[in-house]
Amino acid sequence: MKSLMEGYERFREGYWREHAATFSTLAREGQSPPAMVIACADSRVTPEIIFDCAPGEIFVVRNVANLVPPYAPDTGNHGTSAALEFAVTALEVRSIVVLGHSGCGGIRALVQSTPGEGKDFIASWMKIAEPARCLVCDAPNAPLDEPARCAACELASIRVSLENLMTFPWIASRVTSRQLTLAGLHFDVETGLLKEVD
Ligand SMILES: [Zn+2]
């Protein structure tokens, strides 16, 4: 906590002073970010830094393993789906990016299918990416070593999330009418390289 508050002091003296006018405009006029980014909660993968964005430029939701669940309008606590609904129907973002990354702990847990670990919430959350795990790990030519399986699963799970995005009716209709574009990206934490997932 102490280091966080020290960081805040630096922010207040530095970044805030330099960008006070931007914050003031954003406070007065509200936000209208052109893009939404769904990223992992992993502390090494910070969308605002990776895309060099200022406040107000991207609407970000972060969760374990940057997953998008399928459309399920029920009474569950759908934090990611609620953020999507707000970004698409209220803010009218023009693009949604699913940002995956190398060395994702959530994906590694899924690939390892570690029994008992994270059984309160993580295991059921990671079931969203189960089709990706099946595709990679149950394939006849599945990579034998775990890092390769995880890397392939990171890419496959981004594709699953992109497919799930299209199950939201207000996303699918906007994609069809070209008001909205979807993209998948994978960030390599070690090299800093960003790769598009087709
Ligand atoms: Zn991750």
Side-chain angles (χ1 to χ4, degrees):
M1 186 63 196
K2 186 169 169 283
S3 66
L4 290 182
M5 293 317 291
E6 287 167 357
Y8 172 71
E9 292 303 326
R10 290 193 299 276
F11 161 78
R12 194 61 197 160
E13 290 303 313
Y15 194 97
W16 174 267
R17 271 175 194 268
E18 281 170 45
H19 298 86
T22 304
F23 281 102
S24 176
T25 305
L26 287 168
R28 240 184 4 259
E29 298 177 1
Q31 59 169 337
S32 56
M36 173 176 187
V37 178
I38 297 152
C40 185
D42 190 301
S43 60
R44 302 165 296 178
V45 187
T46 312
E48 290 85 348
I49 292 178
I50 292 169
F51 297 116
D52 191 23
C53 284
E57 288 185 348
I58 47 173
F59 187 82
V60 178
V61 62
R62 297 176 73 169
N63 61 39
V64 172
N66 47 270
L67 300 179
V68 176
Y71 179 70
D74 53 32
T75 54
N77 292 320
H78 297 293
T80 297
S81 303
L84 278 167
E85 184 172 29
F86 182 66
V88 172
T89 67
L91 297 176
E92 299 181 318
V93 295
R94 295 187 294 280
S95 55
I96 300 175
V97 172
V98 177
L99 175 65
H101 70 99
S102 63
C104 184
I107 296 293
R108 190 167 54 244
L110 180 73
V111 168
Q112 292 172 339
S113 303
T114 323
E117 198 174 273
K119 63 180 174 356
D120 281 355
F121 299 106
I122 299 171
S124 65
W125 173 252
M126 288 308 302
K127 280 209 177 79
I128 296 168
E130 180 63 15
R133 193 201 63 77
C134 291
L135 193 71
V136 170
C137 300
D138 299 345
N141 57 346
L144 292 176
D145 66 308
E146 193 180 285
R149 281 176 187 239
C150 290
C153 201
E154 285 161 9
L155 300 179
S157 82
I158 293 170
R159 293 189 189 100
V160 167
S161 287
L162 291 171
E163 284 164 18
N164 286 347
L165 280 171
M166 288 297 282
T167 65
F168 290 72
W170 23 266
I171 290 178
S173 63
R174 283 167 173 83
V175 170
T176 306
S177 62
R178 297 175 185 228
Q179 291 166 274
L180 180 66
T181 56
L182 310 180
L185 297 172
H186 181 271
F187 177 71
D188 188 306
V189 176
E190 180 148 33
T191 63
L193 294 175
L194 192 65
K195 174 164 81 178
E196 184 156 12
V197 180
D198 52 13

